[in-house]
C-alpha cells in the first residue's frame, strides 16, 4: 500500500508553490504520495511524476487526514491552525515547516525542510500531544454552539464603542466581574500568541495548565491567572450589556447575545505534533523573539 502524507499549503505565494512541488518530487522519489487540498494545489506545477504517485486531491474538511502518516504544513501559524482542524479528529500528527514570518507553532524552518522530509520518510521522529480547549456557549441553558481551540478561546466585545461586562467563574465559583475588551482562555501552546500580546505569561508546552488573561480590563483585579488543567472556567456576558463574540483560534466565530454563558474546559482530544530534534523550548523562544542572551556563560563544567 502506498504511503501518503497530507500537505496543507499556504498557496498565496509563488515561492510556497514551488516549495510544494519540490516536496512532491522529493517524497515521490521515496515512494511516498501526497494527499492535497484541491484549491491549494490548483496552481502548483507537479511536473513529471509517476501516475501512481501523482498528488491525490481531497476536500479540506475535518478528518480528511485519516489514513495519512503525517500532515505536512507548509506556511505559517495560521496554516497550521487550519491544518489542525483536518488532523485532530483522526489523531494524525502535524509537522509544521515555517514559510511565514514568526511561525511559532512550526517545528522547523524552510532551510531545514530536506532534513525534515528525510526524518518523515525514515520514521525518525517523535510525537507529542498538545492540550486543547473545548468551548460551549449557552443561552438560558440551551446550547448555541460547541467548538474547540488549540491556541485560545476568547470572549470579546463585538462593538468597539461599548465595553464588554463579564463575570469570570472558576470551578463553579465567581472570581471577578469587570468591564473589558475581552477574556482569553489559552493553552500553553497558545501562551505565545494572543495571550502573550495581552500581557499573559509564557508557559512551556509541557506544562499542563489553562491561562486566563483579561484584555484591557477596567478593574483593580485583572491579572492573568494560571489554573489547573482540569479546571472548569465560565465567562458570563452581562444581560444588560452589548452582545459579544466567541472566537476559537481566530477561525471559528459565533455571536454571543447578552446573557450568554461560555463554558471552557480541557478537551479529551489533543492535537498531535511531530518533534524532530528535541530542541529546548528556551532555544525556540530566543530564536523566534530574537531575545538578547549576550553575556551568558552557562553552568561551570564539573572538574574545571
Amino acid at each position: 500500500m502506498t504511503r501518503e502524507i497530507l500537505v496543507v499549503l499556504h498557496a498565496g505565494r509563488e515561492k510556497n508553490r514551488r516549495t510544494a512541488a519540490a516536496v512532491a518530487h522529493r517524497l515521490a522519489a521515496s515512494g511516498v504520495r501526497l494527499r492535497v487540498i484541491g484549491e491549494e494545489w490548483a496552481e502548483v506545477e507537479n511536473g513529471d511524476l509517476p501516475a501512481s504517485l501523482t498528488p491525490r486531491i481531497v476536500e479540506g474538511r475535518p478528518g480528511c487526514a485519516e489514513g495519512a502518516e503525517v500532515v505536512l504544513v507548509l506556511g505559517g501559524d495560521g496554516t497550521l491552525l487550519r491544518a489542525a482542524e483536518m488532523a485532530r479528529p483522526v489523531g494524525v500528527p502535524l509537522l509544521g515547516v515555517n514559510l511565514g514570518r514568526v511561525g511559532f507553532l512550526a517545528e522547523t524552518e524552510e532551510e531545514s525542510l530536506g532534513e525534515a522530509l528525510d526524518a518523515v520518510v525514515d520514521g525518525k521522529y517523535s510525537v507529542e500531544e498538545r492540550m486543547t480547549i473545548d468551548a460551549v456557549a449557552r443561552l438560558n441553558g440551551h446550547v448555541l454552539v460547541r467548538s474547540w481551540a488549540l491556541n485560545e478561546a476568547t470572549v470579546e466585545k463585538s462593538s468597539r464603542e461599548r465595553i464588554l461586562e463579564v463575570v469570570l467563574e472558576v470551578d463553579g465559583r465567581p472570581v471577578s466581574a469587570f468591564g473589558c475588551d475581552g477574556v482569553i482562555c489559552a493553552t500553553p501552546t497558545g501562551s505565545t500568541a494572543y495571550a502573550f500580546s495581552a500581557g499573559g505569561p509564557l508557559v512551556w508546552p509541557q506544562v499542563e495548565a489553562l491561562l486566563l488573561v483579561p484584555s484591557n480590563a477596567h478593574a483593580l483585579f485583572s491579572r492573568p491567572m494560571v489554573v489547573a488543567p482540569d479546571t472548569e472556567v465560565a465567562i458570563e456576558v452581562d444581560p444588560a450589556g452589548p452582545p459579544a463574540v466567541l472566537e476559537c483560534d481566530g477561525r471559528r466565530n459565533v455571536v454571543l447575545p447578552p446573557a450568554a454563558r461560555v463554558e471552557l474546559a480541557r478537551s479529551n482530544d489533543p492535537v498531535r505534533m511531530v518533534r524532530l530534534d528535541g530542541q529546548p523550548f528556551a532555544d525556540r523562544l530566543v530564536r523566534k523573539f530574537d531575545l538578547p542572551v549576550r553575556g551568558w556563560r552557562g553552568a561551570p563544567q564539573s572538574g574545571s
Side-chain angles (χ1 to χ4, degrees):
M1 184 175 179
T2 302
R3 300 169 65 189
E4 285 195 353
I5 290 175
L6 173 64
V7 170
V8 179
L9 171 66
H10 184 308
R13 300 188 182 100
E14 182 180 353
K15 179 182 177 183
N16 293 6
R17 298 193 294 271
R18 291 198 304 268
T19 298
V23 166
H25 283 267
R26 167 65 185 85
L27 291 177
S30 298
V32 180
R33 183 182 191 181
L34 297 191
R35 187 186 304 181
V36 300
I37 313 303
E39 57 268 27
E40 297 175 4
W41 210 258
E43 296 183 39
V44 175
E45 298 291 340
N46 291 325
D48 296 325
L49 288 173
S52 61
L53 294 174
T54 299
R56 183 163 72 90
I57 305 296
V58 297
E59 181 183 351
R61 55 175 176 74
C64 70
E66 186 171 14
E69 294 183 26
V70 167
V71 177
L72 180 63
V73 183
L74 302 176
D77 285 349
T79 310
L80 192 141
L81 291 171
R82 179 162 56 87
E85 298 176 348
M86 307 174 197
R88 177 176 177 260
V90 290
V92 177
L94 298 164
L95 171 55
V97 179
N98 180 35
L99 303 183
R101 292 186 292 275
V102 177
F104 215 100
L105 295 174
E107 175 63 14
T108 191
E109 301 297 319
E110 183 177 7
E111 57 266 25
S112 301
L113 176 57
E115 291 90 335
L117 295 178
D118 289 342
V120 171
V121 169
D122 297 336
K124 294 180 178 179
Y125 59 87
S126 60
V127 176
E128 69 178 24
E129 294 187 345
R130 299 289 185 91
M131 67 180 293
T132 60
I133 299 170
D134 280 335
V136 182
R138 304 179 191 271
L139 182 64
N140 300 324
H142 299 289
V143 174
L144 297 175
V145 69
R146 296 182 185 272
S147 192
W148 68 279
L150 170 60
N151 268 354
E152 73 278 311
T154 68
V155 175
E156 297 187 326
K157 64 181 185 180
S158 59
S159 171
R160 189 169 67 176
E161 295 79 16
R162 301 285 300 275
I163 296 295
L164 180 65
E165 298 286 344
V166 300
V167 178
L168 182 61
E169 172 190 302
V170 177
D171 283 334
R173 305 303 302 165
V175 171
S176 187
F178 47 78
C180 60
D181 286 350
V183 180
I184 305 162
C185 182
T187 66
T189 299
S191 72
T192 56
Y194 188 11
F196 176 70
S197 298
L202 293 176
V203 180
W204 263 235
Q206 296 82 7
V207 173
E208 301 266 308
L210 292 175
L211 284 67
L212 299 176
V213 184
S215 176
N216 293 329
H218 299 258
L220 179 63
F221 180 76
S222 60
R223 300 296 184 184
M225 293 184 288
V226 180
V227 300
D230 295 326
T231 297
E232 295 181 352
V233 175
I235 302 167
E236 295 184 346
V237 179
D238 184 1
V245 177
L246 169 64
E247 292 194 358
C248 293
D249 288 337
R251 293 190 49 78
R252 297 170 292 280
N253 309 331
V254 64
V255 174
L256 301 172
R261 172 184 171 90
V262 176
E263 297 167 351
L264 303 161
R266 177 184 186 163
S267 173
N268 291 327
D269 299 318
V271 167
R272 306 180 76 216
M273 307 277 275
V274 168
R275 295 304 311 274
L276 295 175
D277 56 11
Q279 183 186 53
F281 184 67
D283 288 351
R284 181 169 297 189
L285 281 180
V286 169
R287 186 178 76 252
K288 296 292 187 179
F289 288 145
D290 194 22
L291 299 179
V293 293
R294 292 179 299 276
W296 181 73
R297 291 180 296 165
Q301 298 298 314
S302 60
S304 61

